[in-house]
Amino acid sequence: MDIYEVVRGPLVWIAFLGLAGGVVVKLLLMASLAKKEKTVFPTMSASHGLRSILHWIMPWGSTNMRAWPVMTTVSFAFHLCLLVTPLFVMGHAVSWQQSWGISWWSLPALAADIMTLWVVCGGVFFLIRRLTAPEVRNVTTFKDVLLILLVISPYLTAFVAHEQWFNNDVMIVLHIVTGVLWMLAIPFTWLSHMFWFVFTRAYMGSEFGAVRNARDW
Amino acid sequence: MDLQDQAVLDRGIDEGLEKLTPERIEKVIRHVLDNESAARLKVYLETCVHCGLCSEACHTYLSRDKDPDFAPVAKVKDTLWEMVKRKGRVDKDLLRRSARIAFTECGACRRCSMYCPFGIDIAYLIMTVRRICSLLQIVPQYLQDTTNSHAVTSNQMWVQADEWIDTLMWQEEDARDSFADARIPLDKEGAEVMYSVIAPEPKIMAQLLGNMAVIMKAANVDWTMPSADGWDNSNMAMYSGDFEVMGRVERAHWERARALKVERVVMGECGHAYRGAVYDGPKWLGWQKPPIPMIHAVEFYYELIHSGRLKIHRKITEPVTVQDPCNIVRGRGLHHKLRYVVNALCENFTDMDPRYEHNYCCAAGGGIINCGPPWKLSRMKSIRVKAEQMAATGAKICITPCHNCHSGIEDIIGHYKLGMHVSFINELLVKAIAEPQG
Ligand code: HEM
Ligand code: HEM
Ligand code: SF4
Ligand code: SF4
C-alpha cells in the first residue's frame, strides 16, 4: 500500500469511527452524569429550549449578536461554509461515488472555492481578533490558536490542491491527514461545542423560560 | 487588575488560608469537582470556546474600563480552569485570588448567561468556586458571620426569639396609628398568606413591618407571620457556599409554612431570599419546586392594585426610576408587573437603559455587600455603569424592591453623589393609599 492508499483507506475509517464513536460516548457519559443532578432533566422544557435555540441560531437573533455585527456576520458565514462545503464539494462527491456508489448534488467549482476561502478568512479573522482584543487575548491559550489553525487547514490544503499550485499528490495527502485530525478533534476539544450547543442552550433556555419566566437572548 | 483590591485584608480569607495544608486543598477541590458537580460543570467547561463574547455583559468589566480580568470567562479562567488543570494541587495564592474573585467580583447575577452564545452559566461555575472556598473555610469574614448566624439562630442577623416577637408587637402598635384595628397576626393556621421577611427588617428597618400591617389591613388580607424560626429565609449560606446550612434554612422556612397550613407565602421585597426559597434551596433539597406557592411582594402588590383591593389616593409626584432586581427579573420575569405597580404609584417615572432582563445588577447582591466594609471600595469601583445609568434618568427617587439592591443603590448614590433617595415600594405604597385627610 502506498501512502495515498493508507490515508484514503484505514485513516478515513478511523476518522469517521472516531468522530461518531467519540460523540456517542460523550453524550451517553453526560446523560448518566446529568441524571446524578436530580434537577437537570426535570428542568428541561421542549418549548422553552427550542425558543432559545432558535433565537441563537438565527443571525442577529440575540441582543449580543446585534452588539457585534462584524463578528456575527463573519461567524455565521464561516459556520455555514464550514459545514456545507465538505458535504457538497465535487472532490468528495467523487470519493463517495467511488467508494460507496452514492451520489448527490455537488457545488459548482467556483462556489466551492469561494466558500472554502471564506472558512480560511474566517479563521484568520478569529485569530486576529484573539490577538488584538484584550478580553479575548486574556483567555486565549496556545491550544486555542492551534485548534483554529487545525480547523482551517483542510480547507487551505484542499484549495491549494485544487489550484494545483504545488505537487498535487502531496497536497491531497496533507488535505486528508488534516481533514482526519479535524474530525477527530471535534469530540475531544472545544470543537465539541458543535453538539453541546443544543444542550447548553436548551438548558439555559429552559431555566430562563420555564423556571424563571424570562428570556435569554 | 487592581492592586488596591488585591491588597484588601480579610481575616476570614487570610486566617483560613494559614490553616490549610496542600493535602487538604487537593482533597476538598477534588471532592467538589468529582462528587458534587456533574454534567453541567463538565459540559460548560468543555463547551466554552474562549471567545470573550460574554465580557460586555458584566457590570464589573464595563465599570472598570473593560479590564480583561473582569470579563466573566476570565473569572473562570483565573479560578476553576487552574483548579481543574492541576487536579486540585493549587497554591494559596491561587486560592486567595479565587476567593476574592468568587465572593467580591461576581454577584452571580447571571447577566452573562444571556450574552454567551452557548448560555454557559458562569454564575453557577463561580458558585462552585464559592463552594470550594466554603469547604476550605476561606470565606470573607462578614459573609461567614451571616452564615454562622443562620446556623445558630436560623436568621441572618443574630435576632433572638424574644427580640423578634417584641419587634412585631411594637410595629403592630405603630400600624394602629393608621388603622385602629391593624394587626400582625402570629401563627394563624390556615391563613391565606404567610408573609416572609428577612432579618434586616426587624433588626434595622422595622417600620417596613408596620407598613405591611397597614397595607394588609387596607386590602383586608387574611395573613399571618410565624412567631418562631423559619421566618427568615434570606439565606446567606446559599452565597457563602455552605449548602448544608442553606438547605436547613429553606427546610425550616417551608416546614413553618406547612405547619401553618397557609395557602401561599408572600416574600417581602427581597430578591435573593426569593431565589433561595424558590430555586437554590429546593434544588439542593432535591425538590422540583417549593411545597407551597410563593410569590414575591411585587406580584402581590400587583394583584392587590390590579384587582382594586388597594385604592391609590395620592400618587408620588417626584421623578422616580426603578432598579430591576436580578433575582426577580432575570430570575422571575416580574419586570412588567413591576412597571405596572410603579406607574400606579408614581406620576413621573423614567426607565433605566438597559432595562428588564438586561438591566445591570446593583453589585450588592449575590452576597457581595455582605462581604462588608473591607470590600466596599472595590464594590463601588465595580458599579460605575449603574451610577451612570441612574444619573441619566434624572430621577430623585430610585425604587428598589429588593433589600440588596436597596443597600447597594444607597451606597452608589452616596459614593457617586447622585443626589437621590432609595425607596422600597412598601414605603411609597403606604403613602399612596393613605386616605386624604378632611
Ligand atoms: C477524510 C477524508 C477526506 C478525503 C479523502 C478528502 C478528499 C478530497 C479531495 C480528493 C478533494 C478534491 C481536491 C481537488 O479538487 O483537487 C477535496 C476537496 C475538498 N475537501 Fe476534502 N477530503 C477529506 C476530508 C475533508 C474534511 C474533513 C474537510 C473539511 C473539514 C474537507 C474539505 C474539503 C474542501 C472544502 C474541499 C474543496 C476545496 C475547493 O474546491 O476549493 N475535506 N477533498
Ligand atoms: C452546527 C454546529 C455548530 C454550532 C451551532 C456552532 C456555534 C458556534 C458558536 C455559537 C460560536 C461562538 C462564537 C461565535 O458566535 O462566533 C462558535 C465558535 C467557533 N466555532 Fe462553531 N459551531 C458549530 C460547529 C462548528 C464546527 C464543526 C467547527 C469546526 C470544526 C466550528 C468551529 C468554530 C470555531 C473555530 C469557533 C471559534 C471562534 C473564535 O475563535 O472566537 N464550529 N461556534
Ligand atoms: S457579576 Fe454577573 S455578569 Fe458578571 S460574571 Fe458574575 S454573573 Fe456574570
Ligand atoms: S463563556 Fe461563552 S461567551 Fe464567554 S468565552 Fe466562553 S463561550 Fe465565549
Side-chain angles (χ1 to χ4, degrees):
Chain A
M1 266 205 289
D2 69 5
I3 173 99
Y4 188 67
E5 283 172 31
V6 173
V7 294
R8 279 297 296 267
L11 207 59
V12 174
W13 278 106
I14 292 175
F16 276 102
L17 290 177
L19 172 59
V23 172
V24 169
V25 167
K26 284 252 157 172
L27 289 179
L28 290 176
L29 219 65
M30 281 309 165
S32 82
L33 273 180
K35 276 199 205 107
K36 261 176 63 181
E37 284 177 86
K38 292 187 207 100
T39 49
V40 170
F41 284 116
T43 301
M44 292 284 216
S45 131
S47 59
H48 290 100
L50 278 174
R51 182 177 88 155
S52 176
I53 291 172
L54 274 180
H55 273 272
W56 284 92
I57 56 169
M58 212 162 45
W60 301 285
S62 70
T63 307
N64 205 23
M65 286 186 200
R66 291 190 292 273
W68 298 102
V70 178
M71 175 69 176
T72 303
T73 313
V74 172
S75 178
F76 266 91
F78 165 86
H79 279 92
L80 194 76
C81 298
L82 176 127
L83 294 170
V84 170
T85 334
L87 289 176
F88 296 107
V89 68
M90 183 74 81
H92 291 183
V94 173
S95 309
W96 295 117
Q97 174 82 43
Q98 284 172 352
S99 312
W100 285 303
I102 35 176
S103 59
W104 61 64
W105 180 82
S106 52
L107 281 164
L110 180 66
D113 275 357
I114 293 174
M115 289 169 77
T116 303
L117 279 182
W118 185 265
V119 174
V120 177
C121 294
V124 171
F125 171 85
F126 291 146
L127 285 174
I128 293 173
R129 180 173 171 271
R130 274 183 192 275
L131 299 178
T132 53
E135 79 277 18
V136 197
R137 188 167 65 195
N138 181 38
V139 292
T140 294
T141 62
F142 185 57
K143 213 176 111 190
D144 296 340
V145 174
L146 284 184
L147 212 51
I148 293 181
L149 289 175
L150 172 64
V151 166
I152 60 176
S153 54
Y155 298 83
L156 196 60
T157 48
F159 184 77
V160 173
H162 188 74
E163 299 297 317
Q164 317 227 329
W165 286 341
F166 295 105
N167 180 326
N168 210 26
D169 293 344
V170 173
M171 278 333 277
I172 291 287
V173 170
L174 268 181
H175 170 67
I176 299 174
V177 171
T178 51
V180 167
L181 289 176
W182 185 99
M183 289 200 272
L184 288 178
I186 289 180
F188 305 108
T189 62
W190 54 247
L191 294 179
S192 57
H193 71 273
M194 178 182 179
F195 51 93
W196 290 140
F197 172 83
V198 184
F199 299 95
T200 53
R201 201 67 263 168
Y203 182 75
M204 197 32 88
S206 304
E207 271 211 352
F208 263 79
V211 182
R212 311 193 211 134
N213 302 320
R215 297 167 303 177
D216 67 336
W217 56 83
Chain B
M1 221 172 28
D2 186 318
L3 295 175
Q4 208 175 10
D5 298 345
Q6 289 176 22
V8 170
L9 298 179
D10 186 311
R11 286 179 58 193
I13 299 173
D14 302 336
E15 290 176 13
L17 280 171
E18 275 166 29
K19 297 186 200 125
L20 289 175
T21 60
E23 294 73 36
R24 179 156 169 72
I25 296 173
E26 184 182 348
K27 196 170 148 224
V28 164
I29 296 180
R30 292 184 84 137
H31 165 72
V32 173
L33 295 181
D34 297 342
N35 305 333
E36 287 195 8
S37 51
R40 282 191 293 158
L41 182 94
K42 295 196 172 55
V43 171
Y44 288 150
L45 289 177
E46 244 184 62
T47 306
C48 175
V49 302
H50 314 164
C51 65
L53 285 170
C54 46
S55 310
E56 307 259 327
C58 186
H59 54 272
T60 66
Y61 172 80
L62 294 173
S63 298
R64 291 174 182 256
D65 301 320
K66 307 198 177 183
D67 179 338
D69 284 334
F70 289 84
V73 56
K75 295 174 192 173
V76 182
K77 171 198 163 203
D78 289 339
T79 57
L80 264 189
W81 286 12
E82 291 296 312
M83 295 181 187
V84 171
K85 194 168 87 193
R86 303 204 203 144
K87 300 195 167 64
R89 283 188 289 273
V90 296
D91 60 22
K92 294 187 181 180
D93 281 343
L94 181 109
L95 289 178
R96 178 178 282 110
R97 183 173 82 190
S98 298
R100 187 194 76 233
I101 293 173
F103 288 112
T104 74
E105 293 172 3
C106 170
C109 76
R110 288 170 161 153
R111 191 170 191 266
C112 46
S113 309
M114 305 189 339
Y115 286 74
C116 166
F118 303 100
I120 289 174
D121 195 345
I122 301 270
Y124 163 78
L125 298 176
I126 293 292
M127 290 304 255
T128 306
V129 178
R130 290 194 190 183
R131 172 66 175 165
I132 289 170
C133 293
S134 169
L135 291 178
L136 289 172
Q137 297 180 317
I138 47 169
V139 176
Q141 187 188 15
Y142 281 80
L143 180 61
Q144 185 60 47
D145 181 70
T146 58
T147 301
N148 295 349
S149 170
H150 273 304
V152 177
T153 66
S154 173
N155 70 72
Q156 182 200 138
M157 287 186 148
W158 304 101
V159 178
Q160 302 303 309
D162 56 342
E163 204 185 331
W164 166 239
I165 297 175
D166 256 14
T167 310
L168 292 179
M169 292 174 74
W170 155 49
Q171 282 305 315
E172 181 179 83
E173 247 173 64
D174 273 12
R176 289 183 179 190
D177 290 345
S178 307
F179 285 104
D181 49 356
R183 290 219 51 209
I184 299 182
L186 295 184
D187 300 328
K188 180 169 179 235
E189 261 191 35
E192 183 194 329
V193 163
M194 175 176 118
Y195 184 55
S196 266
V197 295
I198 67 170
E201 296 207 3
K203 200 80 183 176
I204 47 185
M205 287 180 251
Q207 78 286 358
L208 294 176
L209 291 161
N211 289 352
M212 207 58 196
V214 172
I215 293 165
M216 293 289 193
K217 186 70 222 167
N220 259 322
V221 178
D222 172 22
W223 71 304
T224 187
M225 291 188 79
S227 67
D229 286 0
W231 55 268
D232 177 6
N233 60 324
S234 59
N235 219 335
M236 297 321 303
M238 162 172 80
Y239 286 137
S240 76
D242 190 338
F243 298 156
E244 286 78 9
V245 171
M246 167 184 84
R248 251 172 62 203
V249 169
E250 292 309 338
R251 189 187 288 277
H253 174 258
W254 286 116
E255 277 175 357
R256 184 64 62 194
R258 277 299 282 263
L260 292 177
K261 303 191 177 69
V262 292
E263 281 169 39
R264 54 185 186 162
V265 177
V266 171
M267 182 65 237
E269 291 178 55
C270 178
H272 74 254
Y274 183 78
R275 170 179 179 160
V278 176
Y279 319 117
D280 293 47
K283 245 188 189 157
W284 175 261
L285 294 167
W287 304 345
Q288 209 177 323
K289 58 179 202 276
I292 298 173
M294 173 182 261
I295 61 169
H296 185 266
V298 165
E299 272 170 292
F300 186 57
Y301 301 147
Y302 168 84
E303 280 178 16
L304 296 182
I305 298 172
H306 191 69
S307 65
R309 278 174 89 173
L310 272 184
K311 295 263 177 305
I312 307 299
H313 294 295
R314 198 167 35 173
K315 281 197 170 192
I316 311 296
T317 52
E318 286 153 286
V320 304
T321 186
V322 72
Q323 161 71 355
D324 283 304
C326 305
N327 286 324
I328 67 163
V329 170
R330 253 192 299 293
R332 198 50 176 183
L334 293 186
H335 38 282
H336 295 303
K337 288 183 177 166
L338 177 56
R339 299 297 181 291
Y340 179 92
V341 171
V342 169
N343 279 314
L345 297 182
C346 307
E347 276 173 6
N348 189 352
F349 163 58
T350 312
D351 247 319
M352 291 189 207
D353 176 40
R355 60 179 177 169
Y356 300 165
E357 291 101 327
H358 290 271
N359 188 39
Y360 298 123
C361 172
C362 62
I368 299 190
I369 195 169
N370 306 78
C371 295
W375 300 100
K376 180 170 172 197
L377 185 59
S378 158
R379 178 160 55 87
M380 289 299 108
K381 285 190 269 188
S382 283
I383 197 62
R384 198 186 66 217
V385 281
K386 171 72 40 194
E388 292 163 359
Q389 203 191 7
M390 286 167 63
T393 65
K396 287 282 159 237
I397 299 176
C398 181
I399 300 173
T400 54
C402 167
H403 272 274
N404 271 304
C405 295
H406 187 273
S407 315
I409 299 265
E410 201 163 37
D411 286 345
I412 294 170
I413 291 172
H415 185 85
Y416 289 96
K417 307 202 168 44
L418 298 181
M420 299 183 183
H421 299 287
V422 278
S423 178
F424 287 106
I425 296 177
N426 166 313
E427 295 166 296
L428 300 180
L429 197 53
V430 279
K431 284 187 207 153
I433 60 176
E435 303 262 358
Q437 308 278 302

